[in-house]
Each structure stands twice: as structure tokens, then as C-alpha cells.
Amino acid sequence: MPLFRLSPPFLSGTSRVTLHMIQLLLALVPALIAMVFFFGPGVLVNITLAITVALIAEAIMLKLRDRPLKPFLTDGSAIVTAVLFAMAIPPLAPWWLTTIGILFAIIFAKHLFGGLGYNPFNPAMVAYVLLLLSFPLEMTTWLPATGVTENSLDLVSAFQFIFSGELANGAGIDTISGATPLDVMKTQVGLSELPSYIINQPLFGLFGGIGWEWINIWFAIGGLFLIYRGVISWHIPAAMIAALLVISTATYLIAPEAAASPLFHLLSGGTMIGAFFIATDPVTASTTLKGRLIFGAGVGLLTYIIRAWGGYPDGIAFAVLLMNMLVPLIDYYTQPKVYGTVK
Amino acid sequence: MTQALGSFPGGLVLSGQKKRSTQTPIRRMPLTKILVLPLQQHIGEPAVAIVEIGEKVLKGQKIAAAEGHVSVGLHAPSSGTITAVGEHPIPHPSGLSATCITIETDGEDRWIDRQVNEDISQLSSHELRQRIREAGIVGLGGAGFPSFIKLNPGIHHHVETLILNGAECEPYITCDDMIMRERAQGIMDGIEVMQLALNVKNCVIAIEDNKPEAISAMELALASRTQLKNTKVVVIPTRYPTGSEKQLIQVLTGKQVPSRGLTLDIGIVLHNVGTAYAVGRAIKHGEPLISRIVTVTGKDVKHAGNFETLFGTPIHELLAFCETKRQAEEPFIQGGPMMGYNLAGDNLPVTKTANCILVGVDDATESTTPLPCIRCGDCADACPVSLLPQQLYWHSRSKDLEKTREYNLFDCIECGCCSYVCPSQIPLVQYFRFAKTETMNQEQEQQKSDHARIRHDNRQERQERERLEKAEKQRKRKAALAASKAAKAKKEAEAAAETQTDKQET
């Protein structure tokens, strides 16, 4: 016989943290399939490794902090962090890269701040930025998408490479790796190439990079599912996409010789995973309605600024962390008018 | 006249669970041997017993008198003998006991003489209020605020609109629904009285759209009343907590009651439809408030329904009458599942505020260890008052009372929407109640210490003043003494001088 709560309200809705996390993972599945299709099964190895390390780290930290294991290990938050992180890093990232990243995310970014609900910064993005700053080479070594080259790395060889750093034929990663479309765009615009010319290269597809555009679309579809299910609200993704669209359209119209098209920005790099899965992390995002709009717009704007004028090809992680810092301020100044205080 | 309805932010669409108790008409709960009547069944000062042990009383006879302004009297619900005046457990969230009058009924149910008034237009509004007060009428929606006060706007306020609250938005409760279905004419009697007492221009009867029978019964009754041309039935969407005073006003008028103000401040007075019925009975038929309609429902109640129950009837007898199998570990609720409270036991009397006894909530919330707040903001989206429960929770938890007040804690109506939607299952309302009580205690402490300080300051001032006065007196006395001494010396000197001159002259 269960014990019942004896204080009002005696009823509760069906919303549960764990249920949110499960739906979030489900919403990632289409994009994951697309990633495997375009970049091979490496991401699956990364995810498995990341989840394992995350759960171990979580358990150790809970033990050290004298917190109950079961409710926190099963809340799904560590798994979500692990999966998002593993999907953000290159598909053939070496095992130690993933391990360092996850340990840093769970131990430093999450538990040292107080665990679930108390971390001011998105743990997956903290880890991502740490690795990007410390191991820029490994973090930018992407594979060209299927359709660009014939890369037929199977699960076994992906596994082998991730753990040994060598391909089956003994060759290094640089024999098969290549730059990402955002990378190419940034470098070549820097060399005064015209974006309209750059996108004719084989790496580029209809709107963005081959493969990347589809992955982004599937992330967006997963995100719409989350909005439909009420797991996330529409405010942050809408504001972020709108801001990115506005500024990229403006620069595209003003200086088409130096700016990529708005659609290229929407469907490249981490735009959609950022908009629907990263920036919407409730713990680290703004909570008021107006605040969410400002937060989302800020992420979109900063992402563009970093992509176009900053030192890195993509800016989602930096943009999210920078906006995380502003959350207390945004929330404070966007409090809704309480009933009876409106004149 | 159709008028666009307003709405309030947030709120919930809940499963009503009202069918279970609306299948049979209102039944009368049989007279029980013992009736236990708490002296306080209303907000304000408790009434004072005016009967003694052993005294025989008649049905409707006053047995306790109002004490102070915010108070009403109490009447014997049936004829019998007073057997005790003393402590007895009362329905209360903390399971308290309080002074109660116990009547052993004689089964005759003999009334006192009742004064029937067919023509109420001859009565002044003051007279009406006085009679409503004498009849012991309080708000029957659940809060129990003395009704005569809410019929007395005073000289500083003008009442534009009287709102009759028949929303009954909480799940399970159907006493207002049933009284509107079956006793619409009686409610109209009461509305006429209230309109006379308040002298209002407009009157609105608000009913949620999940009560079609009540709506048509009320519309039918209204159509037969020539005096109630200014009154209309307004059907409002079913959404919790639309029956809450402030939210109902927002839905009907689009206006907001000022924070920590009164509905009177915007020219509106609200009464529950059950209260209106009681007012009608009191003024037209001379019957004081001695019973009410109680919904008894829940999955453990075999014969759920609405029961006209005398005050003081032990709840366990009412439950036995409905064949209830109460499970010890389940919540046992007075009121609804959202805002009601758990009763400590069933040897408690039915009181004026007992609108519903709920035994067995379907899908009751299990008691789990809440997860931490993940700041999802669902609570803020659900809050009908536009508070930020996640911030309030944060500050209540850390006992930062100053901050909770900054985040408008005292505008929280404790509707429970935030707790309902919380994915971490945090009992938010509990935290807010705690913070409210804590703040009020601190304020009281502060007042006490302020008083003490002022007293101390006054005392010091007085002592200082007295000391100064004393010193002044002393100084004056000294001066006077010195002056008189000097005068004396002078005199002596003069006298001496005179003698001298005399001597010289001689």
C-alpha cells in the first residue's frame, strides 16, 4: 500500500522529471539515426561510453555528497547530459576526450554546484567548451558526411579507432577526416572567397552542409515533439531561431559577399540541437516568459556573432554559457505583474 | 446582454469527478443523538455560550452570542438538553480542540417561534444586516466569513455589482450545484435580500459550464422574479480556480482586486449561492443557520451524494449513513482535493464551513521524496496570480522571508496549481504557508518588541522628565531659600543699620 500525501493539494498532474528526461531522449532518436547515417556509428560508441562514465561519476558524487542514489541515478539527468555531449562532439572523438568531458560535466559543472537543479551552467556545454579550449584539434576533427565521400567506417573500426586512435589499416585519422562546412565557410570567407561560391563545393548541400542540414532538421522535428508534449516551451527555441534569422538575414542583405545565407546558419552546426535541446535546459535557462524570449534571442545573437566575427566556427556552446551567466539578471527584471498590482 | 468574458493566467483543467455525488437529490441526514457545536465556526472572534449545562433548548434557539464586531451567534440545530460546554476536537488542519456546546437531542425537533416575513421591502438595510447577523450566517463557500459584514459597504464604498458565486470549481464538491438545481427559488429570495441590503445596480450569478442543470434551474427561477430584472446568469468556462473570489472577478469583469485590498475597493461584493439561500431562509422564514448541504463523496463512499446536515452532527455518523469504508492511510479530507485539509479523525462535528467530506481521492498524490526544483517554470505558467513559485520556493526554503515578501508571497491564494504541475513533486503550497506563518510570527514579534521599546523609551523619557522636574524644583526651592535668606540678611542688616543710625542719632 503506497503512502499518500496528507497535505493539499491531494491531486497531482502526470508531469515528472524522469518522464521529461525520457521524452527528451526519445526526441533525440531521429537526429541520432541521421548522425549514424551521415557520420557512421562512432557516435553510438561515444554515447555508450559517455552514459557509462556519467552514471559512474554521478554515483560516486552522490555517495560523496551523502545523497540517496536511487532517485538521482534514475532521474535521467546524467544520461541526458551524456547523450547531448556525445552528440555534440566529433563522431570519432578518442575515448579519453569523452571521458574527460563527462567527468568534468558531472563532477565540476553539476555536483560541485549542488547537483540537479543547482548548476548555473549547462554541464554538457561547460565540458564542450573545456575540451574545445584544451584539445582544439581533436574537437574539430570531423568526418565528411556520407554523400561527400564514400566513408564506410563500420561499428568495429569506429570502436577500434576511438579506443586505440588508429584505423584498421594503421592509418591516422587525417586520412579520412575533413573540416565541417561551418569551418570551411569561416576559413574561406576569411580568405575573401564569396559565400555564394563556397557553397558550390562538394561539402555543401541544398541549404547547409551535406548531412548537417538533415541532422538539424531532425533535431528540430524532435524539438517540436517536445513542445507538443509540453516538455519544453516554445519561447526559447522560437526566440533563438528568430534572432539568428534576423541578424543573418540582415548581414546577408547588407553584405552578401561576406555572409552566409540565413538558411545556411539555421541548418548548420549545432543550431537546432542548441535551440531545442541545449538552450532549453530548464535548470540553466531563464524561467519567466519574457525572460525566456530574451534568453533565447541572446543565444541566437551571440551564436551568430561568434560564427561570423569570432574565433570559432560555431558558437552555440559559448553563447549558451554566456547567456547562462545573465539568467539571474534577466529573471529579476522580467518578473510578471502579479494579480492586483496592475493599475 | 452578452459581454465578453475576461480570463486569468494559468489555472488548470481538472477532471471534475462530480457525477458520483449528483446522481441522487439532496437527502436529509437523520437527527443524531448528540450534536457538538464549536463556538467558532467562522472567521473572527468566537461566540460566547449563553446556555448552561442541563438547560433545555429548542430548535433554532440561540445558544451562543456574537462577541465583538467580526463574530456571529450560534443556534441549537435541534431541540434537546445541553450536556456539556467544554473542549472537544474540531475539524482543523492541526487537529485542534476548542470550546464546544454539546446537545443531547430529544428527538422532537421542536422549533422556537419563527418570524415569517413575506414583504421584505419594509425592512431597512440595517435591519436586514442585523437579522442576518442574528441568524448566524457566514459564507458557506468554505471560508466562513460573517456575511453581514460583506453586506455592509459603509459610507466610503459604493457597490456596483453583486456577484453570486456558483462556480464551484474544485473537483468532487457539488453542494452548490445541487442547491442551485433544487432550491433556485430559495436562492433568489436571498439574492433579493442581499440586493436590498447593498442597494446594488447589477447582479451576476456565475456558474461554470459543467453544471447545465444548475444553469437552467437558476435561469428558470430568475425568469419568474420581477424584482430581479437587473440580475443575470453568466456561464463561465470550467477552469480551476475560477471560483476563487479574485479570479472570478477577473473572469467576469476583467478587473483586479488591488493587492491586499478588498473586492469592495472596486465596487464588487461576492457571496456564495448557498449563503444566499441561507439569507433567504433567515429573512423570509425566520430560520437561523442550523444546517447546510454537505457533499459526501469519494471512491470509498458507497452512497455518495449531498446531505442536508445539522451542524454538530458527528462526521462518523454522516459517513456511516453513506456506508463509507474509510482506509486509514488514505487522506480524509474536509473540502476539496486541491484546497481542503486532512482531518485528524472522524469524531468531529459538521460545521458551517464543511462543504464537502471527501473519502478516497481517485489517484491521490503519493507521498514521495521530492526531487530538487529543476526551474522548469511550469508552476509559474500555472499560477493564476502570476507569481513565480520557483523563486518563492527557493527563498522560503532558505527562510529568506524578506525576499519572499518581495516576490509577493502574500498574494498567493494557495490554490495548489503549482504543486499540481510540479514535475519534482515539491509540496510548494506547504512551503508558502510556512513562510507566511513565519512572516506573520515575525511581524508579531516585531510589534511586541516595538511596543516594548516604545514603552521603555517612554519610561526613560518620563524618568528623565521627572528627574529634571525634581532638579528644577530643588533649584527653585534652593533659590527661594537663598532669596529668603538674603532677604532676611538684608533685613537684619537694615535693622542693624537702623539701630546704628538710631544709636548715632541718640
Side-chain angles (χ1 to χ4, degrees):
Chain A
M1 196 67 201
L3 284 171
F4 293 98
R5 193 193 280 176
L6 296 181
S7 66
F10 301 93
L11 289 174
S12 61
T14 51
S15 169
R16 297 289 179 275
V17 171
T18 309
L19 217 63
H20 281 207
M21 299 293 178
I22 291 172
Q23 295 187 72
L24 210 132
L25 291 172
L26 272 181
L28 286 169
V29 170
L32 180 62
I33 294 172
M35 278 187 99
V36 172
F37 178 79
F38 287 110
F39 295 111
V43 63
L44 295 178
V45 181
N46 284 345
I47 285 179
T48 316
L49 176 65
I51 290 178
T52 314
V53 176
L55 287 178
I56 292 170
E58 179 92 1
I60 291 171
M61 286 315 286
L62 288 169
K63 203 86 207 152
L64 286 175
R65 292 181 55 227
D66 206 15
R67 294 291 192 282
L69 284 181
K70 195 177 162 244
F72 288 106
L73 276 182
T74 53
D75 66 24
S77 63
I79 298 177
V80 166
T81 300
V83 173
L84 287 175
F85 174 79
M87 289 176 81
I89 59 172
L92 283 184
W95 66 271
W96 51 266
L97 196 72
T98 309
T99 308
I100 291 172
I102 290 294
L103 288 178
F104 195 73
I106 299 291
I107 296 172
F108 287 85
K110 187 178 180 185
H111 279 284
L112 291 192
F113 283 100
L116 177 67
Y118 294 94
N119 49 302
F121 297 104
N122 187 310
M125 290 302 102
V126 171
Y128 185 90
V129 164
L130 170 87
L131 296 181
L132 189 61
L133 298 179
S134 315
F135 309 102
L137 181 67
E138 285 79 359
M139 284 296 280
T140 49
T141 307
W142 275 83
L143 294 177
T146 308
V148 179
T149 58
E150 213 39 63
N151 95 68
S152 52
L153 214 57
D154 59 13
L155 188 60
V156 178
S157 33
F159 187 86
Q160 192 186 350
F161 179 77
I162 287 169
F163 284 95
S164 72
E166 279 187 356
L167 294 170
N169 55 13
I173 182 76
D174 35 349
T175 56
I176 57 162
S177 70
T180 66
L182 270 175
D183 224 345
V184 173
M185 181 64 78
K186 179 155 206 97
T187 327
Q188 303 200 357
V189 165
L191 299 170
S192 303
E193 294 276 7
L194 289 178
S196 55
Y197 167 78
I198 299 170
I199 59 166
N200 288 328
Q201 297 173 12
L203 203 55
F204 293 84
L206 223 45
F207 310 110
I210 285 178
W212 290 91
E213 52 195 18
W214 278 108
I215 292 170
N216 268 290
I217 286 170
W218 284 112
F219 271 127
I221 290 171
L224 292 175
F225 163 77
L226 291 182
I227 292 174
Y228 167 72
R229 298 285 305 162
V231 175
I232 59 172
S233 79
W234 57 269
H235 302 80
I236 291 174
M240 176 180 158
I241 291 168
L244 189 57
L245 201 60
V246 166
I247 186 168
S248 58
T249 308
T251 48
Y252 187 64
L253 290 178
I254 294 166
E257 72 284 353
S261 78
L263 268 177
F264 174 80
H265 276 288
L266 286 194
L267 298 177
S268 288
T271 304
M272 291 302 169
I273 189 178
F276 289 97
F277 295 90
I278 307 277
T280 52
D281 167 27
V283 178
T284 55
S286 193
T287 61
T288 61
L289 289 189
K290 257 192 250 164
R292 287 177 199 163
L293 292 174
I294 296 171
F295 178 86
V299 173
L301 214 62
L302 286 172
T303 299
Y304 187 84
I305 290 172
I306 294 166
R307 277 182 185 177
W309 303 301
Y312 289 87
D314 205 353
I316 299 285
F318 291 108
V320 167
L321 293 181
L322 287 171
M323 288 312 290
N324 284 164
M325 273 188 239
L326 293 181
V327 161
L329 196 70
I330 297 173
D331 276 359
Y332 185 80
Y333 285 106
T334 54
Q335 292 174 42
K337 277 259 176 257
V338 172
Y339 181 105
T341 58
V342 186
K343 279 281 160 282
Chain B
M1 178 181 117
T2 47
Q3 181 196 331
L5 289 175
S7 73
F8 55 90
L12 301 169
V13 177
L14 298 170
S15 155
Q17 307 284 359
K18 299 196 184 229
K19 284 232 166 65
R20 195 184 267 136
S21 55
T22 53
Q23 299 306 307
T24 49
I26 297 173
R27 283 165 280 175
R28 196 177 288 273
M29 167 67 194
L31 181 63
T32 52
K33 192 74 204 147
I34 298 289
L35 296 172
V36 179
L37 297 137
L39 289 176
Q40 182 161 33
Q41 307 187 25
H42 52 265
I43 288 174
E45 288 295 308
V48 176
I50 53 169
V51 287
E52 304 208 330
I53 295 172
E55 198 173 327
K56 293 236 183 288
V57 290
L58 291 176
K59 182 176 182 135
Q61 181 182 333
K62 198 200 257 188
I63 54 173
E67 172 79 6
H69 181 62
V70 187
S71 184
V72 291
L74 188 60
H75 305 77
S78 185
S79 56
T81 314
I82 307 290
T83 56
V85 179
E87 295 281 304
H88 189 282
I90 56 163
H92 188 275
S94 325
L96 293 181
S97 288
T99 313
C100 298
I101 299 175
T102 308
I103 300 175
E104 194 179 308
T105 56
D106 56 16
E108 289 174 26
D109 216 22
R110 207 144 35 88
W111 271 101
I112 47 158
D113 287 337
R114 281 163 287 174
Q115 186 187 2
V116 178
N117 265 301
E118 278 311 325
D119 187 14
I120 56 165
S121 57
Q122 300 305 314
L123 296 169
S124 71
S125 52
H126 176 74
E127 181 82 1
L128 289 170
R129 281 194 290 271
Q130 216 41 47
R131 290 191 187 190
I132 289 167
R133 182 182 201 193
E134 280 304 305
I137 295 175
V138 302
L140 296 180
F145 190 75
S147 301
F148 75 95
I149 298 173
K150 278 168 76 179
L151 289 169
N152 186 8
I155 48 167
H156 300 297
H157 291 100
H158 178 68
V159 182
E160 281 292 315
T161 312
L162 168 67
I163 297 174
L164 269 297
N165 188 348
E168 200 163 54
C169 61
E170 247 197 277
Y172 292 92
I173 310 176
T174 56
C175 56
D176 290 347
D177 186 0
M178 293 309 286
I179 205 170
M180 288 190 287
R181 290 190 201 188
E182 296 184 18
R183 301 180 185 180
Q185 288 293 353
I187 296 172
M188 296 304 156
D189 286 346
I191 296 176
E192 281 182 17
V193 174
M194 287 177 165
Q195 291 199 7
L196 267 179
L198 286 168
N199 188 25
V200 288
K201 284 204 205 83
N202 309 303
C203 177
V204 175
I205 304 167
I207 308 173
E208 275 191 346
D209 59 9
N210 63 353
K211 305 177 202 23
E213 295 90 345
I215 293 164
S216 49
M218 292 292 276
E219 276 173 344
L220 200 67
L222 192 57
S224 68
R225 297 287 177 136
T226 46
Q227 291 99 314
L228 294 178
K229 285 271 176 282
N230 60 348
T231 306
K232 61 178 187 228
V233 173
V234 175
V235 180
I236 53 173
T238 300
R239 188 153 64 103
Y240 180 82
T242 211
S244 159
E245 191 167 86
K246 291 175 171 182
Q247 279 59 45
L248 185 57
I249 289 173
Q250 200 172 13
V251 169
L252 292 172
T253 67
K255 289 186 201 166
Q256 298 186 2
V257 182
S259 173
R260 302 187 90 165
L262 299 170
T263 61
L264 260 182
D265 298 340
I266 51 170
I268 293 172
V269 168
L270 251 111
H271 284 279
N272 170 267
V273 286
T275 314
Y277 178 77
V279 165
R281 295 305 294 179
I283 300 299
K284 290 215 164 172
H285 304 274
E287 291 176 10
L289 186 64
I290 54 168
S291 68
R292 67 161 299 145
I293 316 289
V294 182
T295 306
V296 182
T297 187
K299 63 183 163 66
D300 301 335
V301 184
K302 192 167 172 199
H303 304 294
N306 283 278
F307 300 88
E308 178 151 26
T309 313
L310 294 176
F311 297 137
T313 302
I315 290 175
H316 62 88
E317 300 222 24
L318 179 58
L319 293 184
F321 183 65
C322 312
E323 292 189 38
T324 307
K325 276 205 181 111
R326 190 157 83 76
Q327 312 290 325
E329 63 283 349
E330 277 182 359
F332 172 44
I333 302 163
Q334 171 159 325
M338 295 301 286
M339 292 185 74
Y341 54 88
N342 191 59
L343 291 174
D346 55 12
N347 187 20
L348 300 166
V350 168
T351 60
K352 294 179 180 178
T353 51
N355 51 356
C356 178
I357 307 290
L358 175 51
V359 194
V361 185
D362 304 83
D363 308 313
T365 306
E366 285 178 21
S367 168
T368 50
T369 318
L371 284 174
C373 168
I374 57 163
R375 293 167 50 79
C376 63
D378 285 357
C379 49
D381 296 345
C383 181
V385 197
S386 304
L387 294 171
L388 294 173
Q390 72 273 25
Q391 301 301 116
L392 283 172
Y393 165 67
W394 186 271
H395 297 307
S396 312
R397 226 176 108 94
S398 52
K399 292 197 189 175
D400 190 348
L401 300 175
E402 193 66 34
K403 274 276 186 212
T404 61
R405 238 176 320 174
E406 235 173 75
Y407 278 92
N408 306 80
L409 173 70
F410 280 87
D411 288 300
C412 169
I413 58 169
E414 300 178 17
C415 64
C417 290
C418 51
S419 304
Y420 182 92
V421 298
C422 179
S424 294
Q425 299 259 283
I426 300 167
L428 292 161
V429 176
Q430 295 306 105
Y431 279 96
F432 303 156
R433 285 191 175 163
F434 165 78
K436 280 183 185 175
T437 333
E438 211 49 14
T439 308
M440 287 190 282
N441 288 348
Q442 273 194 6
E443 270 169 12
Q444 267 176 9
E445 285 298 307
Q446 185 64 40
Q447 269 179 3
K448 260 195 216 159
S449 71
D450 281 353
H451 271 291
R453 205 189 59 238
I454 290 168
R455 258 210 319 270
H456 176 76
D457 287 354
N458 286 347
R459 181 159 169 267
Q460 281 210 319
E461 205 177 294
R462 199 182 61 235
Q463 283 176 337
E464 177 67 18
R465 203 177 54 230
E466 280 170 2
R467 199 179 60 73
L468 284 176
E469 277 170 8
K470 212 169 164 188
E472 177 74 1
K473 259 187 204 160
Q474 237 166 14
R475 202 180 56 74
K476 271 189 185 158
R477 209 182 305 135
K478 263 188 192 157
L481 204 69
S484 70
K485 256 188 193 164
K488 210 175 168 187
K490 202 177 167 192
K491 242 185 193 166
E492 270 169 14
E494 274 171 13
E498 239 166 67
T499 351
Q500 199 75 34
T501 31
D502 283 355
K503 267 185 190 164
Q504 271 175 11
E505 275 171 15
T506 46

